[in-house]
Amino acid sequence: MIDNTVIAKAWNLLPAFVSDPVAATIDRVQGVQVPLTPRVDQSHPVRVFIGPVNYAGQAYRWGRAMEQNPGVVSRNMVGAENNLFGYPADLAVRWRTMTHSRSWRREFLNTLVTGYTHIMVEAEMPLLGGAYGQDVRKQVQALRDRGLTVGMIAHGTDIRLPSRHRELESWSHYRDDEWAPVVHIERVVQRNLDMLADIGAPTFVSTAGLLIDVPYAHLLPVVIDPEFWANDEVTLARERPRVLHIPSNPITKGTLLIDPAMRGLDDEGLIEYIQPSGLTQGQMPALYAVADIVLDQFRAADYGVGACESMAAGRLVVSHVSEQVRDVVRTESGVDLPIVEATVDTLDEVLRDVLTRRGHYREVAARGPEFVRRLHDGRHARASLERHFLFTDR
């Protein structure tokens, strides 16, 4: 059996003057079509390009949010192989093309320099692909030297330092190597944190918990479409409430840790525990509509897109969210985060209380849609970018 890991390591050791023409030949034989970088209307005084990861489709949504300002136009790029869930993006380019195609890199850089004013680099990844030896610091400097204003966006795993997270969270998924080798992640994250400090650009984080690791950053809240998730179904009306947990990543979400308690409540006939998998985004609104309670995550102590979608659907969201995150959200939005607090240890107790005081928790769930409109419909993200990045030279 061929060890693909060994092949990948051997390939990465090849010098660019060898690997680039080989990759180009493979693409040519396979008939790979290289998409052109989108050009934008130059009448807009601010023209933003974001890339290259588009996690959960957020770069695309931040771009659309910015465009609510008539003076701004935005486009984004994602590595095609990393867009497994098919989130919308303005440009999808294969990583092999980004890394090895010199003609694409020349065209891409020329389009950025002649067509855009602002660049946002996501997750400390090389926006310019294989250019400058994939060195992000050098790529940022090259963009700056050509007159572009550069900002940085951190998404999560790229800057959440395991050692710090372990100190703060007793159920941290960095307490062992079950998810991934923690020592390796620590090294990668520390390099990313050092890189952000060295670059010294306006920096944004997509969730409030990441401000612990990058305290000088600005919150750039995740964006969803509240109307897409809205429904008229009343929550907690069933005698036996449906409790939904989607184990997109069972280890980091704490699925295996909460399963015993959930199975126990289900066996008692108190709840109906639902744990679906393999769903498309288009199927999710209907699934939320027939649920009463959504269990989000119990290890990261933060919240993201999934919790926002659940709140927008008017479901009661139960999750572990730290006081630090709740304080930031209260400051940013002016209201409390309507996510019911529970840990692995307290989840059984919390759900029993929900069953006893349904009226109270129905009111908590009812605050979800308004909270999402207040902080996560794109307006707050746009204001943060305008204040700290797009118009700072005016």
Side-chain angles (χ1 to χ4, degrees), residues 35-68:
L36 294 177
T37 307
R39 298 182 180 275
V40 291
D41 186 346
Q42 299 296 292
S43 66
H44 294 83
V46 176
R47 304 178 295 280
V48 187
F49 195 90
I50 313 174
V53 297
N54 194 43
Y55 292 143
Q58 286 305 298
Y60 179 86
R61 290 193 175 277
W62 288 322
R64 300 296 83 78
M66 280 187 275
E67 290 183 330
Q68 294 304 304

PDB file of all heavy atoms in Angstrom, residues 35-68:
ATOM      1  N   PRO A  35      -9.642  29.897 -12.954  1.00  0.00           N
ATOM      2  CA  PRO A  35     -10.556  31.048 -13.008  1.00  0.00           C
ATOM      3  C   PRO A  35      -9.801  32.359 -12.844  1.00  0.00           C
ATOM      4  O   PRO A  35      -8.788  32.432 -12.140  1.00  0.00           O
ATOM      5  CB  PRO A  35     -11.496  30.801 -11.824  1.00  0.00           C
ATOM      6  CG  PRO A  35     -10.677  30.000 -10.863  1.00  0.00           C
ATOM      7  CD  PRO A  35      -9.782  29.126 -11.709  1.00  0.00           C
ATOM      8  N   LEU A  36     -10.289  33.379 -13.493  1.00  0.00           N
ATOM      9  CA  LEU A  36      -9.685  34.702 -13.379  1.00  0.00           C
ATOM     10  C   LEU A  36     -10.166  35.396 -12.112  1.00  0.00           C
ATOM     11  O   LEU A  36     -11.316  35.233 -11.690  1.00  0.00           O
ATOM     12  CB  LEU A  36     -10.050  35.550 -14.603  1.00  0.00           C
ATOM     13  CG  LEU A  36      -9.487  35.076 -15.944  1.00  0.00           C
ATOM     14  CD1 LEU A  36     -10.001  35.973 -17.065  1.00  0.00           C
ATOM     15  CD2 LEU A  36      -7.962  35.053 -15.922  1.00  0.00           C
ATOM     16  N   THR A  37      -9.298  36.174 -11.516  1.00  0.00           N
ATOM     17  CA  THR A  37      -9.671  36.957 -10.336  1.00  0.00           C
ATOM     18  C   THR A  37     -10.691  38.014 -10.741  1.00  0.00           C
ATOM     19  O   THR A  37     -10.493  38.724 -11.729  1.00  0.00           O
ATOM     20  CB  THR A  37      -8.428  37.644  -9.751  1.00  0.00           C
ATOM     21  OG1 THR A  37      -7.424  36.654  -9.526  1.00  0.00           O
ATOM     22  CG2 THR A  37      -8.767  38.349  -8.456  1.00  0.00           C
ATOM     23  N   PRO A  38     -11.804  38.110  -9.995  1.00  0.00           N
ATOM     24  CA  PRO A  38     -12.851  39.082 -10.386  1.00  0.00           C
ATOM     25  C   PRO A  38     -12.364  40.520 -10.297  1.00  0.00           C
ATOM     26  O   PRO A  38     -11.741  40.924  -9.323  1.00  0.00           O
ATOM     27  CB  PRO A  38     -13.966  38.800  -9.377  1.00  0.00           C
ATOM     28  CG  PRO A  38     -13.306  38.127  -8.223  1.00  0.00           C
ATOM     29  CD  PRO A  38     -12.175  37.340  -8.805  1.00  0.00           C
ATOM     30  N   ARG A  39     -12.638  41.266 -11.353  1.00  0.00           N
ATOM     31  CA  ARG A  39     -12.361  42.702 -11.349  1.00  0.00           C
ATOM     32  C   ARG A  39     -13.609  43.442 -10.890  1.00  0.00           C
ATOM     33  O   ARG A  39     -14.721  42.977 -11.110  1.00  0.00           O
ATOM     34  CB  ARG A  39     -11.940  43.165 -12.744  1.00  0.00           C
ATOM     35  CG  ARG A  39     -10.645  42.480 -13.201  1.00  0.00           C
ATOM     36  CD  ARG A  39     -10.174  42.960 -14.558  1.00  0.00           C
ATOM     37  NE  ARG A  39      -8.945  42.284 -14.964  1.00  0.00           N
ATOM     38  CZ  ARG A  39      -7.737  42.672 -14.616  1.00  0.00           C
ATOM     39  NH1 ARG A  39      -7.590  43.766 -13.873  1.00  0.00           N
ATOM     40  NH2 ARG A  39      -6.671  42.010 -15.005  1.00  0.00           N
ATOM     41  N   VAL A  40     -13.425  44.555 -10.227  1.00  0.00           N
ATOM     42  CA  VAL A  40     -14.550  45.264  -9.630  1.00  0.00           C
ATOM     43  C   VAL A  40     -14.634  46.687 -10.166  1.00  0.00           C
ATOM     44  O   VAL A  40     -13.666  47.224 -10.716  1.00  0.00           O
ATOM     45  CB  VAL A  40     -14.428  45.292  -8.091  1.00  0.00           C
ATOM     46  CG1 VAL A  40     -14.633  43.887  -7.517  1.00  0.00           C
ATOM     47  CG2 VAL A  40     -13.082  45.853  -7.647  1.00  0.00           C
ATOM     48  N   ASP A  41     -15.796  47.275  -9.977  1.00  0.00           N
ATOM     49  CA  ASP A  41     -16.066  48.635 -10.432  1.00  0.00           C
ATOM     50  C   ASP A  41     -15.143  49.617  -9.708  1.00  0.00           C
ATOM     51  O   ASP A  41     -15.199  49.766  -8.486  1.00  0.00           O
ATOM     52  CB  ASP A  41     -17.544  48.962 -10.136  1.00  0.00           C
ATOM     53  CG  ASP A  41     -17.960  50.299 -10.717  1.00  0.00           C
ATOM     54  OD1 ASP A  41     -17.089  51.090 -11.108  1.00  0.00           O
ATOM     55  OD2 ASP A  41     -19.182  50.564 -10.751  1.00  0.00           O
ATOM     56  N   GLN A  42     -14.309  50.305 -10.484  1.00  0.00           N
ATOM     57  CA  GLN A  42     -13.320  51.213  -9.900  1.00  0.00           C
ATOM     58  C   GLN A  42     -13.936  52.507  -9.370  1.00  0.00           C
ATOM     59  O   GLN A  42     -13.231  53.304  -8.736  1.00  0.00           O
ATOM     60  CB  GLN A  42     -12.254  51.537 -10.941  1.00  0.00           C
ATOM     61  CG  GLN A  42     -11.481  50.309 -11.425  1.00  0.00           C
ATOM     62  CD  GLN A  42     -10.669  49.650 -10.328  1.00  0.00           C
ATOM     63  OE1 GLN A  42      -9.698  50.215  -9.849  1.00  0.00           O
ATOM     64  NE2 GLN A  42     -11.085  48.458  -9.908  1.00  0.00           N
ATOM     65  N   SER A  43     -15.227  52.694  -9.595  1.00  0.00           N
ATOM     66  CA  SER A  43     -15.852  53.913  -9.077  1.00  0.00           C
ATOM     67  C   SER A  43     -16.048  53.844  -7.565  1.00  0.00           C
ATOM     68  O   SER A  43     -16.272  54.864  -6.915  1.00  0.00           O
ATOM     69  CB  SER A  43     -17.209  54.139  -9.759  1.00  0.00           C
ATOM     70  OG  SER A  43     -18.145  53.123  -9.420  1.00  0.00           O
ATOM     71  N   HIS A  44     -15.987  52.647  -6.989  1.00  0.00           N
ATOM     72  CA  HIS A  44     -16.070  52.527  -5.541  1.00  0.00           C
ATOM     73  C   HIS A  44     -14.731  52.935  -4.932  1.00  0.00           C
ATOM     74  O   HIS A  44     -13.697  52.370  -5.286  1.00  0.00           O
ATOM     75  CB  HIS A  44     -16.392  51.091  -5.130  1.00  0.00           C
ATOM     76  CG  HIS A  44     -17.757  50.630  -5.557  1.00  0.00           C
ATOM     77  ND1 HIS A  44     -18.009  50.148  -6.822  1.00  0.00           N
ATOM     78  CD2 HIS A  44     -18.920  50.571  -4.877  1.00  0.00           C
ATOM     79  CE1 HIS A  44     -19.284  49.816  -6.909  1.00  0.00           C
ATOM     80  NE2 HIS A  44     -19.857  50.064  -5.747  1.00  0.00           N
ATOM     81  N   PRO A  45     -14.726  53.868  -3.995  1.00  0.00           N
ATOM     82  CA  PRO A  45     -13.440  54.310  -3.431  1.00  0.00           C
ATOM     83  C   PRO A  45     -12.732  53.240  -2.602  1.00  0.00           C
ATOM     84  O   PRO A  45     -11.506  53.247  -2.483  1.00  0.00           O
ATOM     85  CB  PRO A  45     -13.817  55.508  -2.558  1.00  0.00           C
ATOM     86  CG  PRO A  45     -15.289  55.358  -2.297  1.00  0.00           C
ATOM     87  CD  PRO A  45     -15.858  54.673  -3.483  1.00  0.00           C
ATOM     88  N   VAL A  46     -13.502  52.296  -2.023  1.00  0.00           N
ATOM     89  CA  VAL A  46     -12.913  51.223  -1.221  1.00  0.00           C
ATOM     90  C   VAL A  46     -13.235  49.896  -1.885  1.00  0.00           C
ATOM     91  O   VAL A  46     -14.400  49.548  -2.082  1.00  0.00           O
ATOM     92  CB  VAL A  46     -13.435  51.251   0.223  1.00  0.00           C
ATOM     93  CG1 VAL A  46     -12.883  50.062   1.011  1.00  0.00           C
ATOM     94  CG2 VAL A  46     -13.055  52.564   0.912  1.00  0.00           C
ATOM     95  N   ARG A  47     -12.181  49.139  -2.226  1.00  0.00           N
ATOM     96  CA  ARG A  47     -12.345  47.861  -2.934  1.00  0.00           C
ATOM     97  C   ARG A  47     -11.544  46.803  -2.167  1.00  0.00           C
ATOM     98  O   ARG A  47     -10.323  46.886  -2.094  1.00  0.00           O
ATOM     99  CB  ARG A  47     -11.884  47.992  -4.378  1.00  0.00           C
ATOM    100  CG  ARG A  47     -12.618  49.131  -5.113  1.00  0.00           C
ATOM    101  CD  ARG A  47     -12.142  49.321  -6.533  1.00  0.00           C
ATOM    102  NE  ARG A  47     -10.758  49.768  -6.653  1.00  0.00           N
ATOM    103  CZ  ARG A  47     -10.355  51.037  -6.499  1.00  0.00           C
ATOM    104  NH1 ARG A  47     -11.233  51.992  -6.213  1.00  0.00           N
ATOM    105  NH2 ARG A  47      -9.070  51.350  -6.643  1.00  0.00           N
ATOM    106  N   VAL A  48     -12.270  45.839  -1.611  1.00  0.00           N
ATOM    107  CA  VAL A  48     -11.687  44.896  -0.644  1.00  0.00           C
ATOM    108  C   VAL A  48     -11.613  43.493  -1.236  1.00  0.00           C
ATOM    109  O   VAL A  48     -12.576  43.019  -1.852  1.00  0.00           O
ATOM    110  CB  VAL A  48     -12.526  44.860   0.654  1.00  0.00           C
ATOM    111  CG1 VAL A  48     -11.824  44.025   1.724  1.00  0.00           C
ATOM    112  CG2 VAL A  48     -12.802  46.270   1.171  1.00  0.00           C
ATOM    113  N   PHE A  49     -10.489  42.832  -1.003  1.00  0.00           N
ATOM    114  CA  PHE A  49     -10.366  41.424  -1.372  1.00  0.00           C
ATOM    115  C   PHE A  49     -10.001  40.634  -0.122  1.00  0.00           C
ATOM    116  O   PHE A  49      -9.088  41.012   0.620  1.00  0.00           O
ATOM    117  CB  PHE A  49      -9.300  41.214  -2.444  1.00  0.00           C
ATOM    118  CG  PHE A  49      -9.390  39.864  -3.104  1.00  0.00           C
ATOM    119  CD1 PHE A  49     -10.166  39.679  -4.237  1.00  0.00           C
ATOM    120  CD2 PHE A  49      -8.724  38.761  -2.562  1.00  0.00           C
ATOM    121  CE1 PHE A  49     -10.271  38.427  -4.831  1.00  0.00           C
ATOM    122  CE2 PHE A  49      -8.815  37.512  -3.153  1.00  0.00           C
ATOM    123  CZ  PHE A  49      -9.598  37.338  -4.284  1.00  0.00           C
ATOM    124  N   ILE A  50     -10.721  39.502   0.105  1.00  0.00           N
ATOM    125  CA  ILE A  50     -10.531  38.671   1.299  1.00  0.00           C
ATOM    126  C   ILE A  50     -10.188  37.245   0.879  1.00  0.00           C
ATOM    127  O   ILE A  50     -10.795  36.697  -0.039  1.00  0.00           O
ATOM    128  CB  ILE A  50     -11.811  38.630   2.162  1.00  0.00           C
ATOM    129  CG1 ILE A  50     -12.392  40.029   2.374  1.00  0.00           C
ATOM    130  CG2 ILE A  50     -11.543  37.958   3.494  1.00  0.00           C
ATOM    131  CD1 ILE A  50     -13.735  40.038   3.087  1.00  0.00           C
ATOM    132  N   GLY A  51      -9.247  36.624   1.561  1.00  0.00           N
ATOM    133  CA  GLY A  51      -8.933  35.222   1.284  1.00  0.00           C
ATOM    134  C   GLY A  51      -7.837  34.727   2.216  1.00  0.00           C
ATOM    135  O   GLY A  51      -7.273  35.498   2.998  1.00  0.00           O
ATOM    136  N   PRO A  52      -7.517  33.431   2.176  1.00  0.00           N
ATOM    137  CA  PRO A  52      -7.979  32.464   1.169  1.00  0.00           C
ATOM    138  C   PRO A  52      -8.801  31.298   1.729  1.00  0.00           C
ATOM    139  O   PRO A  52      -8.818  30.226   1.129  1.00  0.00           O
ATOM    140  CB  PRO A  52      -6.648  31.929   0.640  1.00  0.00           C
ATOM    141  CG  PRO A  52      -5.787  31.855   1.881  1.00  0.00           C
ATOM    142  CD  PRO A  52      -6.237  32.992   2.778  1.00  0.00           C
ATOM    143  N   VAL A  53      -9.491  31.454   2.901  1.00  0.00           N
ATOM    144  CA  VAL A  53     -10.097  30.252   3.508  1.00  0.00           C
ATOM    145  C   VAL A  53     -11.624  30.254   3.547  1.00  0.00           C
ATOM    146  O   VAL A  53     -12.255  29.196   3.448  1.00  0.00           O
ATOM    147  CB  VAL A  53      -9.523  29.999   4.922  1.00  0.00           C
ATOM    148  CG1 VAL A  53      -8.035  29.709   4.842  1.00  0.00           C
ATOM    149  CG2 VAL A  53      -9.818  31.145   5.861  1.00  0.00           C
ATOM    150  N   ASN A  54     -12.256  31.391   3.773  1.00  0.00           N
ATOM    151  CA  ASN A  54     -13.725  31.481   3.725  1.00  0.00           C
ATOM    152  C   ASN A  54     -14.405  30.447   4.632  1.00  0.00           C
ATOM    153  O   ASN A  54     -15.416  29.840   4.277  1.00  0.00           O
ATOM    154  CB  ASN A  54     -14.212  31.277   2.284  1.00  0.00           C
ATOM    155  CG  ASN A  54     -15.668  31.689   2.069  1.00  0.00           C
ATOM    156  OD1 ASN A  54     -16.109  32.727   2.564  1.00  0.00           O
ATOM    157  ND2 ASN A  54     -16.428  30.885   1.350  1.00  0.00           N
ATOM    158  N   TYR A  55     -13.873  30.243   5.835  1.00  0.00           N
ATOM    159  CA  TYR A  55     -14.459  29.267   6.743  1.00  0.00           C
ATOM    160  C   TYR A  55     -15.932  29.578   6.997  1.00  0.00           C
ATOM    161  O   TYR A  55     -16.305  30.708   7.300  1.00  0.00           O
ATOM    162  CB  TYR A  55     -13.719  29.254   8.080  1.00  0.00           C
ATOM    163  CG  TYR A  55     -12.306  28.722   8.011  1.00  0.00           C
ATOM    164  CD1 TYR A  55     -11.296  29.285   8.779  1.00  0.00           C
ATOM    165  CD2 TYR A  55     -11.972  27.653   7.180  1.00  0.00           C
ATOM    166  CE1 TYR A  55      -9.989  28.794   8.722  1.00  0.00           C
ATOM    167  CE2 TYR A  55     -10.676  27.159   7.117  1.00  0.00           C
ATOM    168  CZ  TYR A  55      -9.697  27.738   7.888  1.00  0.00           C
ATOM    169  OH  TYR A  55      -8.409  27.255   7.824  1.00  0.00           O
ATOM    170  N   ALA A  56     -16.773  28.538   6.856  1.00  0.00           N
ATOM    171  CA  ALA A  56     -18.227  28.650   7.058  1.00  0.00           C
ATOM    172  C   ALA A  56     -18.849  29.737   6.184  1.00  0.00           C
ATOM    173  O   ALA A  56     -19.911  30.269   6.504  1.00  0.00           O
ATOM    174  CB  ALA A  56     -18.555  28.907   8.534  1.00  0.00           C
ATOM    175  N   GLY A  57     -18.175  30.068   5.074  1.00  0.00           N
ATOM    176  CA  GLY A  57     -18.706  31.080   4.163  1.00  0.00           C
ATOM    177  C   GLY A  57     -18.644  32.496   4.714  1.00  0.00           C
ATOM    178  O   GLY A  57     -19.257  33.415   4.154  1.00  0.00           O
ATOM    179  N   GLN A  58     -17.859  32.702   5.779  1.00  0.00           N
ATOM    180  CA  GLN A  58     -17.903  34.004   6.450  1.00  0.00           C
ATOM    181  C   GLN A  58     -17.245  35.122   5.642  1.00  0.00           C
ATOM    182  O   GLN A  58     -17.713  36.259   5.658  1.00  0.00           O
ATOM    183  CB  GLN A  58     -17.265  33.887   7.830  1.00  0.00           C
ATOM    184  CG  GLN A  58     -18.140  33.163   8.829  1.00  0.00           C
ATOM    185  CD  GLN A  58     -19.520  33.786   8.949  1.00  0.00           C
ATOM    186  OE1 GLN A  58     -19.652  34.944   9.332  1.00  0.00           O
ATOM    187  NE2 GLN A  58     -20.555  33.032   8.598  1.00  0.00           N
ATOM    188  N   ALA A  59     -16.154  34.853   4.946  1.00  0.00           N
ATOM    189  CA  ALA A  59     -15.530  35.920   4.158  1.00  0.00           C
ATOM    190  C   ALA A  59     -16.503  36.460   3.118  1.00  0.00           C
ATOM    191  O   ALA A  59     -16.584  37.672   2.880  1.00  0.00           O
ATOM    192  CB  ALA A  59     -14.257  35.414   3.490  1.00  0.00           C
ATOM    193  N   TYR A  60     -17.231  35.554   2.486  1.00  0.00           N
ATOM    194  CA  TYR A  60     -18.234  35.968   1.503  1.00  0.00           C
ATOM    195  C   TYR A  60     -19.304  36.832   2.175  1.00  0.00           C
ATOM    196  O   TYR A  60     -19.689  37.886   1.635  1.00  0.00           O
ATOM    197  CB  TYR A  60     -18.860  34.732   0.876  1.00  0.00           C
ATOM    198  CG  TYR A  60     -19.940  35.017  -0.144  1.00  0.00           C
ATOM    199  CD1 TYR A  60     -19.615  35.251  -1.479  1.00  0.00           C
ATOM    200  CD2 TYR A  60     -21.289  35.051   0.226  1.00  0.00           C
ATOM    201  CE1 TYR A  60     -20.600  35.518  -2.418  1.00  0.00           C
ATOM    202  CE2 TYR A  60     -22.277  35.313  -0.707  1.00  0.00           C
ATOM    203  CZ  TYR A  60     -21.939  35.549  -2.019  1.00  0.00           C
ATOM    204  OH  TYR A  60     -22.919  35.817  -2.945  1.00  0.00           O
ATOM    205  N   ARG A  61     -19.764  36.414   3.353  1.00  0.00           N
ATOM    206  CA  ARG A  61     -20.823  37.166   4.045  1.00  0.00           C
ATOM    207  C   ARG A  61     -20.316  38.503   4.572  1.00  0.00           C
ATOM    208  O   ARG A  61     -21.036  39.502   4.544  1.00  0.00           O
ATOM    209  CB  ARG A  61     -21.420  36.325   5.167  1.00  0.00           C
ATOM    210  CG  ARG A  61     -22.247  35.148   4.645  1.00  0.00           C
ATOM    211  CD  ARG A  61     -23.089  34.520   5.746  1.00  0.00           C
ATOM    212  NE  ARG A  61     -23.955  33.487   5.211  1.00  0.00           N
ATOM    213  CZ  ARG A  61     -25.132  33.693   4.635  1.00  0.00           C
ATOM    214  NH1 ARG A  61     -25.573  34.932   4.527  1.00  0.00           N
ATOM    215  NH2 ARG A  61     -25.863  32.705   4.185  1.00  0.00           N
ATOM    216  N   TRP A  62     -19.082  38.537   5.066  1.00  0.00           N
ATOM    217  CA  TRP A  62     -18.526  39.828   5.478  1.00  0.00           C
ATOM    218  C   TRP A  62     -18.435  40.770   4.278  1.00  0.00           C
ATOM    219  O   TRP A  62     -18.680  41.975   4.412  1.00  0.00           O
ATOM    220  CB  TRP A  62     -17.149  39.638   6.097  1.00  0.00           C
ATOM    221  CG  TRP A  62     -17.171  39.000   7.461  1.00  0.00           C
ATOM    222  CD1 TRP A  62     -18.086  39.229   8.451  1.00  0.00           C
ATOM    223  CD2 TRP A  62     -16.234  38.053   7.989  1.00  0.00           C
ATOM    224  NE1 TRP A  62     -17.775  38.468   9.557  1.00  0.00           N
ATOM    225  CE2 TRP A  62     -16.646  37.734   9.309  1.00  0.00           C
ATOM    226  CE3 TRP A  62     -15.093  37.441   7.476  1.00  0.00           C
ATOM    227  CZ2 TRP A  62     -15.952  36.843  10.115  1.00  0.00           C
ATOM    228  CZ3 TRP A  62     -14.395  36.549   8.283  1.00  0.00           C
ATOM    229  CH2 TRP A  62     -14.820  36.256   9.587  1.00  0.00           C
ATOM    230  N   GLY A  63     -18.088  40.210   3.123  1.00  0.00           N
ATOM    231  CA  GLY A  63     -18.027  41.033   1.920  1.00  0.00           C
ATOM    232  C   GLY A  63     -19.370  41.625   1.561  1.00  0.00           C
ATOM    233  O   GLY A  63     -19.481  42.815   1.235  1.00  0.00           O
ATOM    234  N   ARG A  64     -20.421  40.804   1.629  1.00  0.00           N
ATOM    235  CA  ARG A  64     -21.749  41.306   1.310  1.00  0.00           C
ATOM    236  C   ARG A  64     -22.195  42.342   2.347  1.00  0.00           C
ATOM    237  O   ARG A  64     -22.904  43.297   2.016  1.00  0.00           O
ATOM    238  CB  ARG A  64     -22.752  40.146   1.257  1.00  0.00           C
ATOM    239  CG  ARG A  64     -22.438  39.073   0.221  1.00  0.00           C
ATOM    240  CD  ARG A  64     -22.488  39.585  -1.230  1.00  0.00           C
ATOM    241  NE  ARG A  64     -21.277  40.233  -1.672  1.00  0.00           N
ATOM    242  CZ  ARG A  64     -20.156  39.587  -2.050  1.00  0.00           C
ATOM    243  NH1 ARG A  64     -20.094  38.273  -2.042  1.00  0.00           N
ATOM    244  NH2 ARG A  64     -19.099  40.259  -2.457  1.00  0.00           N
ATOM    245  N   ALA A  65     -21.783  42.143   3.595  1.00  0.00           N
ATOM    246  CA  ALA A  65     -22.128  43.113   4.636  1.00  0.00           C
ATOM    247  C   ALA A  65     -21.452  44.450   4.359  1.00  0.00           C
ATOM    248  O   ALA A  65     -22.085  45.516   4.469  1.00  0.00           O
ATOM    249  CB  ALA A  65     -21.717  42.575   6.005  1.00  0.00           C
ATOM    250  N   MET A  66     -20.168  44.427   3.979  1.00  0.00           N
ATOM    251  CA  MET A  66     -19.452  45.669   3.662  1.00  0.00           C
ATOM    252  C   MET A  66     -20.115  46.412   2.516  1.00  0.00           C
ATOM    253  O   MET A  66     -20.134  47.651   2.487  1.00  0.00           O
ATOM    254  CB  MET A  66     -17.998  45.361   3.308  1.00  0.00           C
ATOM    255  CG  MET A  66     -17.090  45.126   4.496  1.00  0.00           C
ATOM    256  SD  MET A  66     -15.350  44.965   3.977  1.00  0.00           S
ATOM    257  CE  MET A  66     -15.273  43.227   3.562  1.00  0.00           C
ATOM    258  N   GLU A  67     -20.656  45.661   1.561  1.00  0.00           N
ATOM    259  CA  GLU A  67     -21.240  46.289   0.381  1.00  0.00           C
ATOM    260  C   GLU A  67     -22.556  46.998   0.676  1.00  0.00           C
ATOM    261  O   GLU A  67     -23.097  47.665  -0.223  1.00  0.00           O
ATOM    262  CB  GLU A  67     -21.431  45.239  -0.715  1.00  0.00           C
ATOM    263  CG  GLU A  67     -20.103  44.773  -1.292  1.00  0.00           C
ATOM    264  CD  GLU A  67     -20.270  43.789  -2.433  1.00  0.00           C
ATOM    265  OE1 GLU A  67     -21.274  43.039  -2.441  1.00  0.00           O
ATOM    266  OE2 GLU A  67     -19.398  43.757  -3.327  1.00  0.00           O
ATOM    267  N   GLN A  68     -23.062  46.876   1.887  1.00  0.00           N
ATOM    268  CA  GLN A  68     -24.213  47.696   2.269  1.00  0.00           C
ATOM    269  C   GLN A  68     -23.826  49.166   2.351  1.00  0.00           C
ATOM    270  O   GLN A  68     -24.683  50.047   2.344  1.00  0.00           O
ATOM    271  CB  GLN A  68     -24.785  47.209   3.605  1.00  0.00           C
ATOM    272  CG  GLN A  68     -25.387  45.807   3.541  1.00  0.00           C
ATOM    273  CD  GLN A  68     -26.468  45.690   2.486  1.00  0.00           C
ATOM    274  OE1 GLN A  68     -27.451  46.449   2.494  1.00  0.00           O
ATOM    275  NE2 GLN A  68     -26.298  44.763   1.542  1.00  0.00           N
TER     276      GLN A  68
END
